[in-house]
Amino acid sequence: DSGVTQTPKHLITATGQRVTLRCSPRSGDLSVYWYQQSLDQGLQFLIQYYNGEERAKGNILERFSAQQFPDLHSELNLSSLELGDSALYFCASSVLGDSYNEQFFGPGTRLTVL
Amino acid sequence: AQSVTQPDIHITVSEGASLELRCNYSYGATPYLFWYVQSPGQGLQLLLKYFSGDTLVQGIKGFEAEFKRSQSSFNLRKPSVHWSDAAEYFCAVGAKAGNNRKLIWGLGTSLAVNP
């Protein structure tokens, strides 16, 4: 158990819908990272927050957005969902803001878009 | 642009046999390199990382990796595999993300262990 929690574990929704994925980092970790894992593209970095502020951006679509709240939990919002958004979404956390620090991953949220 | 290639999609070894998982990177400067492992149904866990210095890096769970600049490789090795090592292994290289940094990931190598 990494100490990172993600909810829900599974999510099934329809195209065009909007969903919110939630992540609670390990106690004391200030950084949260979001990743998308799919069979064809592998693990893709989406976005990083550090102590409430956006720190780094990866391949995040404009339909996706994220935020980190004062209690350091984070939410990833996915809107206008498409079939291709079906994937496993991971959240990770680290103590500091550098992504080269060890990242601790949650168990993931599996999103299925029908 | 930085990239990581893991040439082997799937590898099967017998328990007790040695293991080498290949990783090749593309990066202009001295790379920062990582190996993570993903056990079934779990998130990823850091095995080891290379930033500088000794090119042979020791990690957790008995794993080691060797950085070879001339071959642009960072292969992961273990002398004797255990059944619990069956998992997905990911190599990653550090890259710039604006004024900050991010990890670029390989597609992973799935390891199966025969009893």
Side-chain angles (χ1 to χ4, degrees), chain B residues 29-102:
Chain B
T30 299
Y32 294 83
L33 296 160
F34 307 78
W35 275 100
Y36 277 78
V37 60
Q38 182 180 20
S39 299
Q42 306 284 322
L44 283 73
Q45 179 184 22
L46 179 67
L47 283 175
L48 47 80
K49 60 186 178 184
Y50 171 79
F51 285 3
S52 65
D54 192 347
T55 57
L56 186 62
V57 181
Q58 300 298 320
I60 62 170
K61 304 186 181 190
F63 285 93
E64 67 178 25
E66 186 171 12
F67 170 60
K68 293 185 177 180
R69 183 187 298 277
S70 61
Q71 298 177 19
S72 297
S73 69
F74 188 56
N75 294 347
L76 183 71
R77 301 194 295 246
K78 186 169 185 177
S80 177
V81 169
H82 188 261
W83 64 266
S84 61
D85 293 325
E88 189 91 15
Y89 291 80
F90 293 91
C91 181
V93 65
K96 288 186 179 179
N99 292 328
N100 292 294
R101 308 197 283 195
K102 63 180 180 181

Side-chain angles (χ1 to χ4, degrees), chain A residues 70-92:
Chain A
D71 66 352
L72 300 178
H73 91 270
S74 178
E75 293 181 355
L76 178 67
N77 299 296
L78 315 176
S79 62
S80 303
L81 285 168
E82 302 175 359
L83 295 177
D85 297 327
S86 295
L88 191 54
Y89 290 84
F90 284 109
C91 166

Side-chain angles (χ1 to χ4, degrees), chain A residues 26-86:
Chain A
R26 289 188 327 155
S27 176
D29 284 1
L30 298 178
S31 265
V32 169
Y33 309 79
W34 285 100
Y35 292 92
Q36 179 192 60
Q37 185 181 38
S38 60
L39 283 176
D40 55 343
Q41 295 202 0
L43 196 63
Q44 298 285 318
F45 166 67
L46 297 178
I47 197 164
Q48 177 198 357
Y49 279 81
Y50 174 69
N51 205 20
E53 301 285 329
E54 183 182 305
R55 182 87 168 192
K57 221 168 186 177
N59 304 327
I60 188 165
L61 300 173
E62 285 193 11
R63 301 184 285 109
F64 296 1
S65 65
Q67 54 183 325
Q68 186 179 28
F69 294 87
D71 66 352
L72 300 178
H73 91 270
S74 178
E75 293 181 355
L76 178 67
N77 299 296
L78 315 176
S79 62
S80 303
L81 285 168
E82 302 175 359
L83 295 177
D85 297 327
S86 295

